[in-house]
Structures are given as structure tokens and as C-alpha cells.
Amino acid sequence: MVQPTFQDIATRSPDEALSLLSSARDGLSPDSAATRLAEHGLDELSGAETTALEILLRQFKSSFIYLLFAASAIAIYLREYLDAAIIFLFLVINALLGFVQEYRAEHALQLLKQFVERRARVRRGGLVVSVPVREVVAGDVVLLSAGDTIPGDGLFIRADGVEVDESPMTGETSPVEKTCGALAAPPDDAYGAANIGFTRTTLMAGDADLLVFATGNHTTVGGIAGTMRAAEAPSAFEAGVSEFSAFVLKMLGVTVPLVYLLHALVTDSQVTLGQFLLFSIALTVSAIPEALPLVTTISLTRGALALAKKHVVPRRLSAIEDLGSIDVLATDKTGTITENTLLVADVYGDRDTLIRYALVPPLARGSSTVQNQAFDAAILAEVGEDVRAQLAALTLVDELPFDPVRRRATVLVEADERDLDPAAGVQPSNPANLRNPRNLRLISRGAPEALYAGAADEAAALAWAAGEGRKGRRVLAVAWKDEGPDGRRVVDPDDERGMTPIGVISFADPLKPTTRAAVEQAERLGVRVKMITGDSKEVAGWVAVEIGLIDDPAEVLLGSEFARMSPEERASAVDRYDVFARATPEQKFDIVKALDAKHLVGFLGEGFNDAPALKVAHVGLAVDGASDIAQDAADVVLLNRSLEVIVDGIREGRTIFANTMKYIRATLTSNVGNFYALAFAALFIPYLPMLPVQILLLNLLSDFPMISIAADSVDEAELARPRGYQVGELTGVAMLLGAVSTLFDFAFFGYFVRFAEPALLQTMWFMGSVLTELVLLFSIPTALPFWRSTPPSGTVLWLTLLVMATAVALPFIAPARALFGFVAPAPEHLVMALGLVALYFVSTEAAKLLFYRYWERA
């Protein structure tokens, strides 16, 4: 079957289109749907997943790699074939290291996508079933309601008040009305397709049946997907690294000739221009934090997988780090702070009798279960199966549905006393026992004010109900009246007079057991929780007090009060109040927007009307089961709706950020220090202070423990508040510690240059550079003294020790000496080198503590 275009099908009536697609209003049969799925494939755009080859090629798309290729070419030109081979080996090792980690990250992302599977309601064989969106096929009849995303191009065969947001495709900001009639002429473009729904657009109003005629790459969006992928822009981070590398290349073109000229003038140079150029390229490569993208990717992937185990799924990896940066978390009450299920909290009156009478209206319809009524489900949980079956056997004679004016619902049932009384023959509130074997009884449920009007204990009952209301609980009163065996079998409102109240039941939506601890943990993380709910002021206030969000239940601002405020008053109110009640979706958006003007806000929403607030928030969070448009607008999807898992996400985001900053501080400090020391040392000796292959080996060895920082442990102090990329702090500490590094590099130079043996200086400077760079990992990660900081993770510790041992051992291994130009140092040389490294660590620690003491005061 060929999938038609929207121009082909727009002029057909629903029945004609169904015939064309060999379908029916009852939908396809399951077998037919399976056949079409096998024939046409999944309803998704091809090329969306990254292949292994693309990941491998991506490893060679950076200025850093281009520099190494240039160095290898120069080495070949100079007939330094061994150097060229070693440089090429470094290229391969770096590329493979990046490939393995990124491939694992990509694979992890694909696994994460399985956690959040979009579904659609379709008719299959006359039954409405829920299927994954990617299994929708041409010929399926999809049932749509407001907030749903259209899963494929389709013809509306039923449309009741339908409006569709087509802005993702057409750019139209206003929703477009849709009809289900055939068009007189084929539309020229999507703007004129009034009876067509396009994939990835969203139903904003109404409900509809859509006959899908195209899926995946056959849709209108699929036709332009290739163009979209071709125009895909690099991320801001990739652009930043690329820009920095390009800047380095430009600087290299200026500085290399200048440094070589000075080197030739100041020294009796034994180094050719080509050799010095090779040295300069290797030196420049060593100064670039080329592993930063890899460290970030590993950190984010590990964080994503850790959160996925707790049912928090990021829709983009960087959203985890963004979540760690928020300082305000705005959330609804129901289902996040509370369990979103009502339980019987307390009763006014005889409990057993009250519960039985309260269950008569829902159970007298002949079923021992209740549906779609939270109050009924809570009451039903209070009795056993025997009572349920007994009440379900009652005969429902007539009923009056709930009326907001009467404020009650009433049923007339036929029952004897044993059906309703816990102890046979004992009547609840009327001593005049009803002895008729089959009496007609009138039972009402509703507001206490309505059912207790005129009752002897009216004041006491209403006072009790008001007290429950102040606790955030909802109440339901129950009353009854005997109509005798021969009473009228039709109920009207006049019959509700003179009823006897039985009691009042209060219901509570219990707090999740982890909520209070989560709020306290959020406070310790420097995150202020804001509750924005559509519930009443009383309920919101009581719940907020219970979880420790506010002290006084009156400290609640109504959404209507916020809406009447001026912009200045709103800015003040969002800081003053932590609880907002009776807030409409539009008011939620305004509250989040006002918060976002001064804070980094995380917002949890689920309805399609929450989409604007989810978009304006720094991090949008949606629950699984939220509307399609809400999930599309969100950055993170919660499979487990809980405040606790959001707080876990904040901690994970800050851990990732802290480890990324560790890497940046460590590489800036050591790489920049080494760069300047080697560059200036080259001006004072007639040979290279370190061979290019030695510099590249230094870079490669140090990268292993540096990359493992992604899995390092983090001090609690680093998680205590949201931290941005504080350029001043980063630059300041890097310059100070970089200066200390440069001084000690010169100390190595000054001591070993006096032996007038180039290979010895190069060997010891290599060894010292590796050791000083790695001991820095025990100091730089935290502002605390190293002995008070959290110990490094086992991976970081053992990789660091392994690389240190390798750096010391290489000069004693004959093949390594021949390959890298090392010489075996004497014992006194080793002692001197290790002494300088120890002194460097002490000096770095002292400089770091001094810097942060003054930085925190500033």
C-alpha cells in the first residue's frame, strides 16, 4: 500500500479515505496493523539515532586533532618517522578513548528513551487500545483529545471543536481550526489543509478521530527531516571549544615565529625551524583541555543512568547539570507532595454505621466496586468483602444527582435493617427501630451545612467539620430517612426534608513519607521550594505547614490576588510567599515567569496548559502520563512523581558540575603552567627542554586520571548551594596556582639544566610534570584543606597512582628510553625530583587556602 500525500486525501470524504486505506471506523484488525508495521516500518524518522561510524568520525572533528595531524605531517617531512608514528599512535588512542566513552553514552541514551515511551489511543478491531506511538500505522484510527500530539499525518474523520497548534511546522502562533469535511480542491500547502492533522502538531482544544495516512519518513515533517539534520548546529559547548581552538591556531601562527626568532638570537640554537615548530605544536596541544567534552559526556551519562534507576529521565543530557543549578523549585501539591489518594482520616458519629450508610449510594447500583470517585474508594477501603457484597445486593429505586444548590446527592433504596446496621436491630440515630422487612430508605450525602441544618447537634457538627477543613481535609456528611414499605418510589427535592444526620466523614490526601525530608534536603542544597496548586487556600496552607514549608497556614497567596498585582508587587510577592493556592494555568505561568526574572527555576507541570510555564522555567519537569505537549516542553520526565527524586536530581546535577569544574581547574592550572615554563625555558637553552613526543606522552598519561574525575566523589560543601560558572574564581585560582606550577617547573629546569645533559633535563622535566599534574588532583578539587575533604574515588586514586608509577618507571625501561628519548636518572636525581613534587604539593595547598580565604571575604 502506497501512503498518499495530504493533497491526495484532503478532497476525499471520511468514507472514501477509509476505503482508500482499506480501513474502517472501527480501525484495523490487529493482524492487519502488524502486517503494515512490518511492511512500512516504525512511525519514526530515520537517521535520528547516531551510528557508531558517526561517533568515530566525530572524534576527528576538532582543531586539537588537526594540530596533531599537522605535527605528524611535519615529522614525516623532517624524516622523523618514529616521531610521526608515535604522534599518529596518540591520535588513534585519543580517538578510540573518546569513541568508546561516547558510544557507551549514546547507548545509554537509547536505553533511557525506553523509559519514556509515547503512546496513542487507537481503534483496533473495534476496541480502543493504547499502543506505542512508533507502532501507529497508516490506516489506524487515532482518538485524540486536548493536549495530545498527533502521531502521524491524518485526515480528521470526526472533529468536535478541534483547534491544532501547527507552530512547529508552519510557524503560525495561533491555533488552527480543523474540520472533518472533504475540501473542494487539493490544498496548495499545509496552511490550506483544513481537514488534515500533521504529525508532531498538538491538539489544543476539542476531541477528534484521525485516520492516519502517512507515518515516519512518509509524513510532511519526514520530508523535510533530512534538511533539518543537515542544518543541525553544534551545541554551545562544542562551539566554544572550537572557537577556543581556532584562536589557539591563530595565536600559534603569530607566536611560533616570534619564539623561534628569539630562541635563535638568544641561544646558540641547535634546533631547526621544523623541529621547533613540532615542539610548539605539541606544546600547544598540551595546553588545550581536549578531554573536557569527554569528561562532561561521561559525567552527564553516569548521572542520567543513576537518575534513571530512580525513575528520573532527562530528555537532554545537559538538563541534569541545569537541574543542579536551580535555586527555586516550583511544584504542585497533589501527587508530588501528597499521595494523590484520599483516605478516611476521622469521623463525627458512629464509625461503623456511618461508613455503611455512606457506601449505599455507590454500591446500590449492583457492583461491589466503585469507579472514578475518590471519596467512594476511600470509604470502600474501610469495609470487607462481605459488607461490600451485602450493600451491592440492595435495590436502587430512584436517585437525585448532586446539585450545587441543594449541595447533596440522594438515593432511594429498598433494604431491611440488617443490611445497614452493624448490629442487627440497632438503629444508628433513630431509636424508633425500623422493623419492616423491606423498608424504603432515603440516604443523602453532601455538605454538612446542608444535611445538619436544623439538627440538634448542628453547631457541634459544623464546628468539627470546620476544624477538619483547617487541617486541609475534605468532609462529607451522611443523613437518612425512613419512607416505609409503601412510600413513593420516585424522589424529588421535597423528600429530602426532615432527614436525620448520621455523621460526617473527613478525608485526607496523606503526605508522601519522604516529602518533609525532601523539603529539608532542598533547603540544605540552597533550593527554595514553592508550592503552586489549584487547591483551596486552607488545604494548601495546612499541607505546607505539615511539610515545614511555612509556619502559619495563613501565609498563602491566592492566584486571583497575584493576578491583580502590579509587576513590582508580583516581583516582591514571589519572594515573600512560598505557597500559592487556587492558581489557574495562566496564573502559574505568571508566577513562574516572575520567579524566573530573579532566580533559576525548576517547574513541575503535567497539563497541556502548563506547557508555557515549563518552557519559561530554567528546567521544566513533567510526570509520566502528563499531556504530550507538557512532556515535549519539559527537560526532564519523572516516572516516579515525588519531590524526593527531584531533589536527588538536583544533587546529581551539582555533582556533575563540581566534577566538571575540578577538571577545568586542574587542567588550566597544570597545562597553562607547563606551557609557559616550557616556552620560556626554550629561550635560554640551545635545545628543546622537552621533546614533542614526550609532551604528547605527558598529555596522554595525565588524561587517564583526569577523565576519571567524571566519576569522582564530591564534598558536601560543593553541593550546598547552586554554583554557576564563576569565571572570576576559576581564572583567579588557575592563575595563582598556574604561577606556582610555573615556578616549580623553573625549579626543575634550574636544577637539572646545570648537568648540561639535554636528555636528563628532558627526562626529569617530563617526570616532574606528570607527578606535579597528578598530585594536583588531591588538592584542587575542593576549597577545603585536603585532609578535611572527601577522599577521591577509588577509580581516581588507583589510576593516579598507576600513572605516577608508570611515569617514574618509563626511563628505566630500555624500549621506552629508545622510543621517547629518555635516560635512566641516578638515585639522587629521583630523590630531588620527588622532593620538589612534595614541596610543590605543600605550596599549592597553601596558595589554594590563601586564595579561598580572601575570595570568600570579597
Side-chain angles (χ1 to χ4, degrees), residues 100 188 386 456 488 552 579 656 676 679 707 727 828:
V100 169
D188 294 327
D386 55 338
R488 290 191 319 122
D552 184 350
V579 184
I656 290 167
Y676 284 114
I707 290 172
V727 178
E828 59 269 23

Side-chain angles (χ1 to χ4, degrees), residues 647-666:
V647 174
D648 286 341
I650 294 171
R651 285 184 61 88
E652 197 67 44
R654 293 189 183 172
T655 299
I656 290 167
F657 179 81
N659 283 334
T660 303
M661 293 304 291
K662 282 182 195 177
Y663 174 81
I664 294 175
R665 282 196 297 264

Side-chain angles (χ1 to χ4, degrees), residues 443-492:
I443 299 173
S444 286
R445 305 191 311 175
E449 295 85 354
L451 272 63
Y452 270 86
D457 59 342
E458 176 182 4
L462 295 185
W464 185 88
E468 294 298 289
R470 287 191 293 272
K471 297 177 183 178
R473 297 174 178 175
R474 302 177 185 182
V475 293
L476 180 72
V478 183
W480 77 289
K481 181 181 179 182
D482 175 33
E483 293 293 328
D486 302 318
R488 290 191 319 122
R489 302 180 75 83
V490 177
V491 183
D492 62 45

Side-chain angles (χ1 to χ4, degrees), residues 326-330 526-530 575 595 599-603:
I326 67 171
D327 60 338
V328 169
L329 174 61
V527 177
R528 193 171 174 182
V529 177
K530 304 276 186 179
D575 274 340
L595 282 167
H599 302 277
L600 295 178
V601 182
F603 173 69

Side-chain angles (χ1 to χ4, degrees), residues 44-349:
E44 57 189 13
L45 301 180
S46 63
E49 295 184 6
T50 305
T51 65
L53 180 60
E54 288 173 330
I55 296 173
L56 180 61
L57 293 177
R58 196 159 60 199
Q59 308 310 310
F60 299 95
K61 293 180 179 179
S62 76
S63 298
F64 161 73
I65 294 296
Y66 302 152
L67 282 172
L68 284 180
F69 273 123
S72 182
I74 292 171
I76 292 173
Y77 174 76
L78 297 175
R79 299 182 184 276
E80 299 286 350
Y81 298 117
L82 181 60
D83 284 0
I86 293 173
I87 293 171
F88 186 76
L89 179 63
F90 290 155
L91 264 171
V92 172
I93 291 173
N94 269 286
L96 287 177
L97 185 64
F99 169 77
V100 169
Q101 294 295 342
E102 288 196 34
Y103 182 79
R104 290 173 61 189
E106 186 69 28
H107 181 65
L109 276 177
Q110 297 307 319
L111 290 177
L112 288 177
K113 289 179 181 179
Q114 297 176 13
F115 279 90
V116 184
E117 187 174 53
R118 189 71 50 80
R119 303 187 73 83
R121 292 180 302 136
V122 302
R123 286 198 184 98
R124 295 271 173 91
L127 300 176
V128 177
V129 297
S130 174
V131 301
V133 164
R134 62 199 190 108
E135 294 181 10
V136 170
V137 298
D140 266 329
V141 176
V142 180
L143 282 65
L144 299 170
S145 57
D148 289 345
T149 298
I150 296 176
D153 287 359
L155 178 75
F156 286 105
I157 60 175
R158 183 182 67 83
D160 295 333
V162 170
E163 294 183 358
V164 177
D165 174 17
E166 294 186 339
S167 58
M169 188 177 68
T170 65
E172 287 281 352
T173 55
S174 300
V176 179
E177 293 184 9
K178 296 289 183 178
T179 65
C180 64
L183 300 185
D188 294 327
D189 49 38
Y191 297 98
N195 58 352
I196 301 295
F198 294 99
T199 188
R200 301 198 178 187
T201 61
T202 305
L203 216 70
M204 301 302 294
D207 59 271
D209 292 350
L210 184 85
L211 173 63
V212 175
F213 59 80
T215 60
N217 288 334
H218 299 285
T219 62
T220 304
V221 170
I224 60 174
T227 305
M228 292 166 59
R229 287 192 293 272
E232 185 177 344
S235 68
F237 177 78
E238 290 170 341
V241 172
S242 179
E243 184 178 349
F244 174 70
S245 299
F247 170 75
V248 169
L249 283 171
K250 293 175 184 177
M251 289 298 296
L252 184 64
V254 175
T255 57
V256 166
L258 179 62
V259 172
Y260 178 74
L261 180 61
L262 291 174
H263 173 80
L265 292 174
V266 174
T267 68
D268 183 14
S269 180
Q270 304 168 8
V271 181
T272 66
L273 175 60
Q275 292 171 329
F276 198 82
L277 181 60
L278 196 61
F279 166 77
S280 300
I281 290 175
L283 189 58
T284 303
V285 166
S286 72
I288 298 174
E290 75 285 348
L292 180 56
L294 191 56
V295 168
T296 306
T297 299
I298 296 171
S299 296
L300 292 174
T301 305
R302 289 185 73 256
L305 292 175
L307 289 178
K309 293 176 182 177
K310 300 178 181 179
H311 302 286
V312 180
V313 183
R315 298 186 71 245
R316 56 181 176 85
L317 273 181
S318 58
I320 306 172
E321 192 173 0
D322 290 341
L323 186 58
S325 68
I326 67 171
D327 60 338
V328 169
L329 174 61
T331 178
D332 194 3
K333 170 187 73 69
T334 306
T336 306
I337 292 173
T338 61
E339 294 281 9
N340 193 24
T341 180
L342 289 181
L343 299 176
V344 173
D346 203 354
V347 298
Y348 175 80

